[in-house]
């Protein structure tokens, strides 16, 4: 396995609301700076529940403060369901963010969860390669938002399929260990090629594994989240006090 968390910055806030608000501010400042330098910003979003609050804050407070036409959105993973399914990461993002901002459809690079997963992996890999700057053939995201599952997974790389982290491919088909739901996920080499990664983690249910990973306690390398270490970039944790309770 490559990429064990080495250099990082931890930010802890009183509540999930405050954590999301501070991160929203940080994210928008980064976007403005990157757009000023490069003209556009490429962001990879994660799904699940945690980003909903962040997206709501971006919708309410930043729809006019950022030139969303210069923002390109991608996803680190998607559940293999149609976009209007309640499980869809794209669907969640549409409801909480995309419906409220002025972003051209061509800037929204969703994963087609409704398509055949094996074919979609190939298509999305090409979508990434054709739209994002590559270094050694691997896309370089300007910013990546990651979440962490209660079992220490990130993107859709779960502990029982941790070998997907080191896949030679850019994207893979993954299977949720409990529900059996198929997912499409980017792999470790794309994650760690990002210029900046932010883990947004809230809630006590994440605290034990999070502290094991950060303190490098026995067995921590079994958790895919422990392998996040952007090779030339920055790693930030945005945590609420419950997630950080054991740190
Ligand atoms: C997904 C993800 C996943 C998520 C974590 C945390 O599609 O589920 O992108 O990696 O970030 O599972 O999810 P919660 O925020 O729901 O706890």
């Amino acid at each position: 396995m490559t990429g064990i968390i080495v250099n990082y910055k931890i930010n802890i806030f009183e509540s999930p609301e405050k954590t999301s608000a501070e991160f929203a501010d940080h994210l928008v400042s980064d976007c403005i700076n990157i757009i000023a330098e490069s003209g556009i910003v490429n962001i990879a979003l994660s799904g699940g529940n945690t980003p909903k609050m962040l997206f709501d804050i971006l919708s309410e407070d930043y729809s006019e403060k950022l030139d969303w036409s210069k923002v390109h959105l991608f996803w680190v993973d998607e559940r293999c369901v149609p976009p209007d399914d309640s499980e869809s990461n794209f669907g969640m993002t549409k409801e909480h963010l995309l419906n409220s901002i002025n972003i051209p459809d061509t800037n929204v690079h969703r994963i087609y969860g409704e398509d055949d997963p094996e074919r979609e992996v190939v298509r999305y890999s090409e979508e990434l390669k054709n739209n994002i700057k590559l270094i050694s053939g691997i896309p370089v995201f300007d910013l990546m938002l990651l979440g962490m599952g209660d079992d220490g997974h990130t993107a859709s790389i779960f502990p029982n399929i941790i070998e997907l982290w080191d896949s030679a491919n850019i994207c893979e088909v993954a299977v949720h260990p409990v529900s059996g739901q198929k997912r499409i996920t980017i792999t470790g080499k794309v994650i760690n090629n990002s210029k900046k990664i932010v883990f947004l983690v809230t809630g006590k249910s994440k605290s034990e594994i999070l502290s094991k990973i950060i303190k490098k306690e026995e067995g921590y390398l079994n958790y895919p989240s422990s392998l996040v270490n952007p090779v030339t970039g920055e790693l930030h944790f945005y945590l609420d006090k419950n997630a950080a309770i054991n740190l």
Side-chain angles (χ1 to χ4, degrees):
M1 294 291 169
T2 52
I4 300 152
I5 289 178
V6 181
N7 294 312
Y8 54 85
K9 186 165 187 295
I10 298 183
N11 307 277
I12 302 170
F13 303 95
E14 196 52 31
S15 62
E17 290 78 3
K18 183 74 180 148
T19 312
S20 303
E22 290 292 332
F23 177 46
D25 195 53
H26 178 148
L27 179 73
V28 170
S29 309
D30 277 351
C31 287
I32 290 170
N33 292 338
I34 296 166
I35 292 168
E37 216 172 278
S38 316
I40 62 160
V41 56
N42 290 315
I43 308 178
L45 300 173
S46 66
N49 288 313
T50 313
K52 289 179 184 169
M53 202 176 276
L54 168 73
F55 295 162
D56 288 339
I57 293 169
L58 289 171
S59 295
E60 273 164 40
D61 299 341
Y62 297 92
S63 64
E64 303 296 330
K65 291 185 187 146
L66 181 61
D67 182 356
W68 291 95
S69 73
K70 303 286 194 296
V71 178
H72 283 253
L73 297 177
F74 299 81
W75 276 263
V76 302
D77 71 343
E78 182 57 279
R79 291 94 181 267
C80 293
V81 296
D84 56 358
D85 188 289
S86 62
E87 284 271 297
S88 166
N89 285 338
F90 165 77
M92 180 279 279
T93 312
K94 185 169 186 309
E95 183 186 340
H96 289 268
L97 179 64
L98 305 177
N99 285 345
S100 318
I101 55 175
N102 265 325
I103 185 163
D105 287 349
T106 46
N107 291 20
V108 179
H109 306 263
R110 78 174 178 97
I111 300 173
Y112 298 151
E114 67 275 35
D115 283 357
D116 173 70
E118 273 73 24
R119 259 188 293 135
E120 180 55 10
V121 154
V122 176
R123 190 204 66 84
Y124 203 62
S125 302
E126 288 305 308
E127 177 82 8
L128 298 184
K129 286 195 203 156
N130 293 335
N131 286 283
I132 305 174
K133 185 185 149 209
L134 306 175
I135 293 185
S136 308
I138 309 169
V140 184
F141 280 106
D142 296 307
L143 299 168
M144 181 174 287
L145 166 63
L146 289 178
M148 190 186 85
D150 293 356
D151 59 357
H153 80 262
T154 194
S156 278
I157 304 183
F158 298 91
N160 68 319
I161 46 170
I162 197 167
E163 65 280 359
L164 291 188
W165 185 270
D166 280 335
S167 166
N169 300 323
I170 285 174
C171 299
E172 287 282 358
V173 178
V175 177
H176 190 283
V178 179
S179 67
Q181 180 187 59
K182 283 195 175 178
R183 307 256 182 119
I184 289 167
T185 185
I186 60 166
T187 58
K189 66 179 184 178
V190 184
I191 294 175
N192 279 343
N193 221 27
S194 304
K195 289 188 188 160
K196 184 171 193 170
I197 296 179
V198 181
F199 258 115
L200 180 63
V201 184
T202 61
K204 209 170 174 185
S205 62
K206 317 272 172 94
S207 62
E208 210 171 298
I209 291 181
L210 184 70
S211 88
K212 271 194 188 168
I213 290 172
I214 288 177
K215 294 177 182 167
K216 297 187 171 35
E217 284 171 7
E218 208 192 324
Y220 77 104
L221 287 175
N222 297 326
Y223 303 117
S225 296
S226 74
L227 304 173
V228 175
N229 183 24
V231 281
T232 56
E234 294 173 49
L235 175 59
H236 296 250
F237 287 87
Y238 271 70
L239 311 174
D240 75 336
K241 68 167 188 224
N242 284 330
I245 206 156
N246 294 322
L247 295 182

